[in-house]
mmCIF file of all heavy atoms in Angstrom:
data_model
loop_
_atom_site.group_PDB
_atom_site.id
_atom_site.type_symbol
_atom_site.label_atom_id
_atom_site.label_comp_id
_atom_site.label_asym_id
_atom_site.label_seq_id
_atom_site.Cartn_x
_atom_site.Cartn_y
_atom_site.Cartn_z
ATOM 1 N N ALA O 1479 0.794 -1.219 0.005
ATOM 2 C CA ALA O 1479 -0.006 0.013 -0.018
ATOM 3 C C ALA O 1479 0.827 1.263 0.005
ATOM 4 O O ALA O 1479 0.350 2.362 -0.389
ATOM 5 C CB ALA O 1479 -0.917 0.013 1.211
ATOM 6 N N SER O 1480 2.107 1.122 0.435
ATOM 7 C CA SER O 1480 2.892 2.307 0.596
ATOM 8 C C SER O 1480 3.928 2.540 -0.564
ATOM 9 O O SER O 1480 4.439 3.659 -0.736
ATOM 10 C CB SER O 1480 3.702 2.268 1.945
ATOM 11 O OG SER O 1480 4.587 1.127 1.978
ATOM 12 N N THR O 1481 4.255 1.472 -1.273
ATOM 13 C CA THR O 1481 5.245 1.590 -2.404
ATOM 14 C C THR O 1481 5.005 0.480 -3.374
ATOM 15 O O THR O 1481 4.536 -0.636 -2.929
ATOM 16 C CB THR O 1481 6.676 1.554 -1.829
ATOM 17 O OG1 THR O 1481 7.567 1.868 -2.875
ATOM 18 C CG2 THR O 1481 7.029 0.192 -1.307
ATOM 19 N N PRO O 1482 5.270 0.668 -4.676
ATOM 20 C CA PRO O 1482 5.046 -0.447 -5.593
ATOM 21 C C PRO O 1482 5.987 -1.617 -5.343
ATOM 22 O O PRO O 1482 7.208 -1.416 -5.161
ATOM 23 C CB PRO O 1482 5.393 0.201 -7.003
ATOM 24 C CG PRO O 1482 5.177 1.646 -6.754
ATOM 25 C CD PRO O 1482 5.653 1.874 -5.337
ATOM 26 N N VAL O 1483 5.417 -2.844 -5.165
ATOM 27 C CA VAL O 1483 6.213 -4.000 -4.886
ATOM 28 C C VAL O 1483 5.912 -5.185 -5.817
ATOM 29 O O VAL O 1483 4.875 -5.174 -6.497
ATOM 30 C CB VAL O 1483 5.981 -4.493 -3.472
ATOM 31 C CG1 VAL O 1483 6.352 -3.409 -2.442
ATOM 32 C CG2 VAL O 1483 4.606 -4.983 -3.262
ATOM 33 N N THR O 1484 6.813 -6.116 -5.913
ATOM 34 C CA THR O 1484 6.623 -7.343 -6.656
ATOM 35 C C THR O 1484 6.822 -8.443 -5.655
ATOM 36 O O THR O 1484 7.832 -8.551 -4.979
ATOM 37 C CB THR O 1484 7.635 -7.490 -7.802
ATOM 38 O OG1 THR O 1484 7.480 -6.451 -8.736
ATOM 39 C CG2 THR O 1484 7.426 -8.812 -8.481
ATOM 40 N N ILE O 1485 5.799 -9.332 -5.463
ATOM 41 C CA ILE O 1485 5.884 -10.473 -4.559
ATOM 42 C C ILE O 1485 6.233 -11.674 -5.480
ATOM 43 O O ILE O 1485 5.459 -12.057 -6.388
ATOM 44 C CB ILE O 1485 4.571 -10.657 -3.821
ATOM 45 C CG1 ILE O 1485 4.266 -9.365 -3.061
ATOM 46 C CG2 ILE O 1485 4.705 -11.863 -2.862
ATOM 47 C CD1 ILE O 1485 2.843 -9.368 -2.498
ATOM 48 N N LEU O 1486 7.392 -12.236 -5.305
ATOM 49 C CA LEU O 1486 7.941 -13.229 -6.140
ATOM 50 C C LEU O 1486 7.217 -14.539 -6.020
ATOM 51 O O LEU O 1486 6.850 -15.033 -4.964
ATOM 52 C CB LEU O 1486 9.431 -13.447 -5.867
ATOM 53 C CG LEU O 1486 10.279 -12.198 -5.881
ATOM 54 C CD1 LEU O 1486 11.728 -12.553 -5.586
ATOM 55 C CD2 LEU O 1486 10.174 -11.417 -7.194
ATOM 56 N N SER O 1487 7.069 -15.199 -7.188
ATOM 57 C CA SER O 1487 6.609 -16.583 -7.239
ATOM 58 C C SER O 1487 7.775 -17.498 -7.340
ATOM 59 O O SER O 1487 8.798 -17.182 -7.871
ATOM 60 C CB SER O 1487 5.704 -16.798 -8.421
ATOM 61 O OG SER O 1487 4.402 -16.287 -8.224
ATOM 62 N N LEU O 1488 7.581 -18.759 -6.875
ATOM 63 C CA LEU O 1488 8.531 -19.799 -6.994
ATOM 64 C C LEU O 1488 8.145 -20.768 -8.069
ATOM 65 O O LEU O 1488 6.940 -20.961 -8.321
ATOM 66 C CB LEU O 1488 8.760 -20.534 -5.722
ATOM 67 C CG LEU O 1488 9.655 -19.929 -4.651
ATOM 68 C CD1 LEU O 1488 9.028 -18.667 -4.096
ATOM 69 C CD2 LEU O 1488 9.947 -20.915 -3.484
ATOM 70 N N SER O 1489 9.136 -21.333 -8.807
ATOM 71 C CA SER O 1489 8.800 -22.315 -9.843
ATOM 72 C C SER O 1489 8.437 -23.631 -9.167
ATOM 73 O O SER O 1489 8.701 -23.875 -7.991
ATOM 74 C CB SER O 1489 9.997 -22.511 -10.714
ATOM 75 O OG SER O 1489 11.110 -23.169 -9.983
ATOM 76 N N GLU O 1490 7.810 -24.529 -10.004
ATOM 77 C CA GLU O 1490 7.491 -25.859 -9.420
ATOM 78 C C GLU O 1490 8.732 -26.602 -8.951
ATOM 79 O O GLU O 1490 8.701 -27.265 -7.935
ATOM 80 C CB GLU O 1490 6.803 -26.688 -10.526
ATOM 81 C CG GLU O 1490 5.358 -26.263 -10.853
ATOM 82 C CD GLU O 1490 4.697 -27.176 -11.832
ATOM 83 O OE1 GLU O 1490 5.245 -28.307 -12.029
ATOM 84 O OE2 GLU O 1490 3.649 -26.874 -12.366
ATOM 85 N N ASP O 1491 9.850 -26.453 -9.656
ATOM 86 C CA ASP O 1491 11.067 -27.148 -9.251
ATOM 87 C C ASP O 1491 11.604 -26.566 -7.956
ATOM 88 O O ASP O 1491 12.086 -27.314 -7.111
ATOM 89 C CB ASP O 1491 12.146 -26.912 -10.401
ATOM 90 C CG ASP O 1491 13.427 -27.686 -10.081
ATOM 91 O OD1 ASP O 1491 13.383 -28.920 -9.812
ATOM 92 O OD2 ASP O 1491 14.474 -27.014 -10.000
ATOM 93 N N GLN O 1492 11.530 -25.234 -7.773
ATOM 94 C CA GLN O 1492 12.012 -24.588 -6.566
ATOM 95 C C GLN O 1492 11.155 -25.054 -5.341
ATOM 96 O O GLN O 1492 11.638 -25.312 -4.284
ATOM 97 C CB GLN O 1492 11.972 -23.106 -6.680
ATOM 98 C CG GLN O 1492 13.176 -22.581 -7.571
ATOM 99 C CD GLN O 1492 12.960 -21.062 -7.874
ATOM 100 O OE1 GLN O 1492 11.776 -20.551 -7.941
ATOM 101 N NE2 GLN O 1492 14.044 -20.423 -8.102
ATOM 102 N N ILE O 1493 9.848 -25.163 -5.603
ATOM 103 C CA ILE O 1493 8.941 -25.570 -4.529
ATOM 104 C C ILE O 1493 9.262 -27.043 -4.153
ATOM 105 O O ILE O 1493 9.308 -27.390 -2.961
ATOM 106 C CB ILE O 1493 7.469 -25.461 -4.950
ATOM 107 C CG1 ILE O 1493 7.096 -23.954 -5.045
ATOM 108 C CG2 ILE O 1493 6.575 -26.151 -3.954
ATOM 109 C CD1 ILE O 1493 5.747 -23.723 -5.616
ATOM 110 N N ALA O 1494 9.503 -27.840 -5.140
ATOM 111 C CA ALA O 1494 9.860 -29.306 -4.883
ATOM 112 C C ALA O 1494 11.139 -29.367 -4.060
ATOM 113 O O ALA O 1494 11.276 -30.145 -3.142
ATOM 114 C CB ALA O 1494 9.998 -30.008 -6.178
ATOM 115 N N GLN O 1495 12.174 -28.571 -4.451
ATOM 116 C CA GLN O 1495 13.449 -28.593 -3.686
ATOM 117 C C GLN O 1495 13.310 -28.097 -2.270
ATOM 118 O O GLN O 1495 14.096 -28.525 -1.394
ATOM 119 C CB GLN O 1495 14.491 -27.693 -4.481
ATOM 120 C CG GLN O 1495 14.971 -28.240 -5.785
ATOM 121 C CD GLN O 1495 15.988 -27.432 -6.408
ATOM 122 O OE1 GLN O 1495 17.090 -27.211 -5.819
ATOM 123 N NE2 GLN O 1495 15.733 -26.884 -7.551
ATOM 124 N N SER O 1496 12.328 -27.250 -2.057
ATOM 125 C CA SER O 1496 12.170 -26.687 -0.685
ATOM 126 C C SER O 1496 11.642 -27.692 0.350
ATOM 127 O O SER O 1496 11.742 -27.507 1.554
ATOM 128 C CB SER O 1496 11.272 -25.473 -0.686
ATOM 129 O OG SER O 1496 9.895 -25.882 -0.890
ATOM 130 N N ASN O 1497 10.995 -28.781 -0.209
ATOM 131 C CA ASN O 1497 10.376 -29.757 0.645
ATOM 132 C C ASN O 1497 9.269 -29.182 1.534
ATOM 133 O O ASN O 1497 8.974 -29.643 2.608
ATOM 134 C CB ASN O 1497 11.365 -30.490 1.561
ATOM 135 C CG ASN O 1497 12.300 -31.423 0.824
ATOM 136 O OD1 ASN O 1497 11.800 -32.128 -0.152
ATOM 137 N ND2 ASN O 1497 13.559 -31.486 1.128
ATOM 138 N N ARG O 1498 8.630 -28.089 0.995
ATOM 139 C CA ARG O 1498 7.487 -27.518 1.726
ATOM 140 C C ARG O 1498 6.214 -27.660 0.865
ATOM 141 O O ARG O 1498 6.269 -28.162 -0.273
ATOM 142 C CB ARG O 1498 7.786 -25.992 1.971
ATOM 143 C CG ARG O 1498 8.944 -25.675 2.911
ATOM 144 C CD ARG O 1498 8.640 -26.233 4.276
ATOM 145 N NE ARG O 1498 9.655 -25.787 5.247
ATOM 146 C CZ ARG O 1498 9.822 -26.328 6.447
ATOM 147 N NH1 ARG O 1498 9.047 -27.362 6.844
ATOM 148 N NH2 ARG O 1498 10.806 -25.867 7.224
ATOM 149 N N THR O 1499 5.105 -27.268 1.462
ATOM 150 C CA THR O 1499 3.836 -27.472 0.780
ATOM 151 C C THR O 1499 3.559 -26.249 -0.130
ATOM 152 O O THR O 1499 3.743 -25.079 0.247
ATOM 153 C CB THR O 1499 2.736 -27.574 1.810
ATOM 154 O OG1 THR O 1499 2.991 -28.651 2.737
ATOM 155 C CG2 THR O 1499 1.380 -27.747 1.138
ATOM 156 N N ALA O 1500 3.184 -26.553 -1.381
ATOM 157 C CA ALA O 1500 2.861 -25.495 -2.316
ATOM 158 C C ALA O 1500 1.575 -24.741 -1.882
ATOM 159 O O ALA O 1500 0.686 -25.346 -1.330
ATOM 160 C CB ALA O 1500 2.734 -26.007 -3.703
ATOM 161 N N LEU O 1501 1.539 -23.470 -2.144
ATOM 162 C CA LEU O 1501 0.351 -22.619 -1.841
ATOM 163 C C LEU O 1501 0.220 -21.514 -2.852
ATOM 164 O O LEU O 1501 1.254 -20.960 -3.307
ATOM 165 C CB LEU O 1501 0.453 -22.085 -0.382
ATOM 166 C CG LEU O 1501 -0.750 -21.311 0.132
ATOM 167 C CD1 LEU O 1501 -0.857 -21.597 1.671
ATOM 168 C CD2 LEU O 1501 -0.633 -19.835 -0.056
ATOM 169 N N THR O 1502 -1.001 -21.228 -3.186
ATOM 170 C CA THR O 1502 -1.294 -20.083 -4.084
ATOM 171 C C THR O 1502 -1.992 -18.977 -3.430
ATOM 172 O O THR O 1502 -3.026 -19.160 -2.767
ATOM 173 C CB THR O 1502 -2.169 -20.639 -5.299
ATOM 174 O OG1 THR O 1502 -1.475 -21.663 -5.999
ATOM 175 C CG2 THR O 1502 -2.500 -19.435 -6.244
ATOM 176 N N ILE O 1503 -1.406 -17.808 -3.555
ATOM 177 C CA ILE O 1503 -1.998 -16.560 -3.034
ATOM 178 C C ILE O 1503 -2.748 -15.967 -4.240
ATOM 179 O O ILE O 1503 -2.192 -15.568 -5.209
ATOM 180 C CB ILE O 1503 -0.984 -15.606 -2.475
ATOM 181 C CG1 ILE O 1503 -0.192 -16.263 -1.311
ATOM 182 C CG2 ILE O 1503 -1.628 -14.328 -1.959
ATOM 183 C CD1 ILE O 1503 0.980 -15.351 -0.803
ATOM 184 N N PRO O 1504 -4.106 -15.842 -4.116
ATOM 185 C CA PRO O 1504 -4.859 -15.395 -5.300
ATOM 186 C C PRO O 1504 -4.499 -13.993 -5.706
ATOM 187 O O PRO O 1504 -4.183 -13.137 -4.911
ATOM 188 C CB PRO O 1504 -6.280 -15.471 -4.801
ATOM 189 C CG PRO O 1504 -6.234 -16.440 -3.644
ATOM 190 C CD PRO O 1504 -4.936 -16.214 -3.002
ATOM 191 N N ALA O 1505 -4.665 -13.749 -6.980
ATOM 192 C CA ALA O 1505 -4.490 -12.393 -7.561
ATOM 193 C C ALA O 1505 -5.439 -11.439 -6.860
ATOM 194 O O ALA O 1505 -6.543 -11.754 -6.454
ATOM 195 C CB ALA O 1505 -4.807 -12.379 -9.062
ATOM 196 N N GLY O 1506 -4.920 -10.202 -6.602
ATOM 197 C CA GLY O 1506 -5.746 -9.218 -5.969
ATOM 198 C C GLY O 1506 -5.661 -9.219 -4.433
ATOM 199 O O GLY O 1506 -6.273 -8.374 -3.791
ATOM 200 N N THR O 1507 -4.901 -10.135 -3.887
ATOM 201 C CA THR O 1507 -4.751 -10.261 -2.400
ATOM 202 C C THR O 1507 -4.091 -8.916 -1.886
ATOM 203 O O THR O 1507 -4.425 -8.380 -0.862
ATOM 204 C CB THR O 1507 -3.973 -11.440 -2.010
ATOM 205 O OG1 THR O 1507 -4.746 -12.635 -2.410
ATOM 206 C CG2 THR O 1507 -3.800 -11.501 -0.490
ATOM 207 N N TYR O 1508 -3.089 -8.551 -2.661
ATOM 208 C CA TYR O 1508 -2.261 -7.333 -2.252
ATOM 209 C C TYR O 1508 -2.386 -6.283 -3.366
ATOM 210 O O TYR O 1508 -2.637 -6.546 -4.535
ATOM 211 C CB TYR O 1508 -0.812 -7.693 -2.064
ATOM 212 C CG TYR O 1508 -0.586 -8.702 -0.914
ATOM 213 C CD1 TYR O 1508 -0.175 -10.058 -1.263
ATOM 214 C CD2 TYR O 1508 -0.768 -8.351 0.370
ATOM 215 C CE1 TYR O 1508 0.021 -10.972 -0.244
ATOM 216 C CE2 TYR O 1508 -0.571 -9.301 1.390
ATOM 217 C CZ TYR O 1508 -0.201 -10.580 1.043
ATOM 218 O OH TYR O 1508 -0.026 -11.557 2.070
ATOM 219 N N ALA O 1509 -2.253 -5.020 -2.938
ATOM 220 C CA ALA O 1509 -2.327 -3.902 -3.913
ATOM 221 C C ALA O 1509 -1.336 -4.124 -5.016
ATOM 222 O O ALA O 1509 -0.161 -4.409 -4.798
ATOM 223 C CB ALA O 1509 -2.087 -2.556 -3.205
ATOM 224 N N GLY O 1510 -1.854 -3.971 -6.255
ATOM 225 C CA GLY O 1510 -0.989 -4.089 -7.401
ATOM 226 C C GLY O 1510 -0.666 -5.488 -7.854
ATOM 227 O O GLY O 1510 0.056 -5.741 -8.805
ATOM 228 N N GLN O 1511 -1.197 -6.461 -7.160
ATOM 229 C CA GLN O 1511 -0.988 -7.912 -7.532
ATOM 230 C C GLN O 1511 -1.953 -8.429 -8.561
ATOM 231 O O GLN O 1511 -3.106 -8.697 -8.190
ATOM 232 C CB GLN O 1511 -1.047 -8.759 -6.227
ATOM 233 C CG GLN O 1511 -0.778 -10.282 -6.513
ATOM 234 C CD GLN O 1511 -1.369 -11.144 -5.423
ATOM 235 O OE1 GLN O 1511 -1.680 -10.747 -4.337
ATOM 236 N NE2 GLN O 1511 -1.559 -12.463 -5.784
ATOM 237 N N GLU O 1512 -1.530 -8.479 -9.770
ATOM 238 C CA GLU O 1512 -2.477 -8.826 -10.855
ATOM 239 C C GLU O 1512 -2.526 -10.235 -11.188
ATOM 240 O O GLU O 1512 -3.396 -10.749 -11.883
ATOM 241 C CB GLU O 1512 -2.077 -8.015 -12.149
ATOM 242 C CG GLU O 1512 -2.138 -6.506 -11.956
ATOM 243 C CD GLU O 1512 -1.759 -5.716 -13.150
ATOM 244 O OE1 GLU O 1512 -1.291 -6.410 -14.119
ATOM 245 O OE2 GLU O 1512 -1.901 -4.533 -13.192
ATOM 246 N N ALA O 1513 -1.586 -11.084 -10.647
ATOM 247 C CA ALA O 1513 -1.584 -12.503 -10.937
ATOM 248 C C ALA O 1513 -1.426 -13.324 -9.681
ATOM 249 O O ALA O 1513 -1.026 -12.781 -8.628
ATOM 250 C CB ALA O 1513 -0.441 -12.840 -11.909
ATOM 251 N N ASP O 1514 -1.785 -14.590 -9.745
ATOM 252 C CA ASP O 1514 -1.612 -15.457 -8.578
ATOM 253 C C ASP O 1514 -0.087 -15.562 -8.248
ATOM 254 O O ASP O 1514 0.726 -15.488 -9.102
ATOM 255 C CB ASP O 1514 -2.121 -16.875 -8.909
ATOM 256 C CG ASP O 1514 -3.583 -16.973 -8.989
ATOM 257 O OD1 ASP O 1514 -4.284 -16.002 -8.661
ATOM 258 O OD2 ASP O 1514 -4.153 -18.038 -9.454
#
Protein backbone atom coordinates (compact mmCIF):
# COMPACT_ATOMS: atom_id res chain seq x y z
CA ALA A 1 0.00 0.00 0.00
CA SER A 2 2.94 2.33 0.59
CA THR A 3 5.22 1.59 -2.38
CA PRO A 4 5.05 -0.45 -5.61
CA VAL A 5 6.22 -4.01 -4.89
CA THR A 6 6.61 -7.34 -6.63
CA ILE A 7 5.89 -10.46 -4.60
CA LEU A 8 7.93 -13.23 -6.16
CA SER A 9 6.58 -16.58 -7.25
CA LEU A 10 8.59 -19.80 -7.02
CA SER A 11 8.81 -22.33 -9.83
CA GLU A 12 7.49 -25.88 -9.44
CA ASP A 13 11.08 -27.12 -9.27
CA GLN A 14 11.99 -24.62 -6.54
CA ILE A 15 8.94 -25.60 -4.51
CA ALA A 16 9.87 -29.27 -4.87
CA GLN A 17 13.44 -28.58 -3.72
CA SER A 18 12.18 -26.68 -0.68
CA ASN A 19 10.35 -29.78 0.67
CA ARG A 20 7.51 -27.49 1.71
CA THR A 21 3.84 -27.45 0.77
CA ALA A 22 2.86 -25.46 -2.32
CA LEU A 23 0.35 -22.65 -1.81
CA THR A 24 -1.29 -20.13 -4.13
CA ILE A 25 -2.02 -16.57 -3.03
CA PRO A 26 -4.86 -15.41 -5.30
CA ALA A 27 -4.49 -12.39 -7.55
CA GLY A 28 -5.74 -9.20 -5.95
CA THR A 29 -4.77 -10.21 -2.42
CA TYR A 30 -2.28 -7.33 -2.26
CA ALA A 31 -2.33 -3.90 -3.90
CA GLY A 32 -0.97 -4.08 -7.43
CA GLN A 33 -0.94 -7.91 -7.49
CA GLU A 34 -2.46 -8.81 -10.85
CA ALA A 35 -1.58 -12.51 -10.95
CA ASP A 36 -1.61 -15.47 -8.58
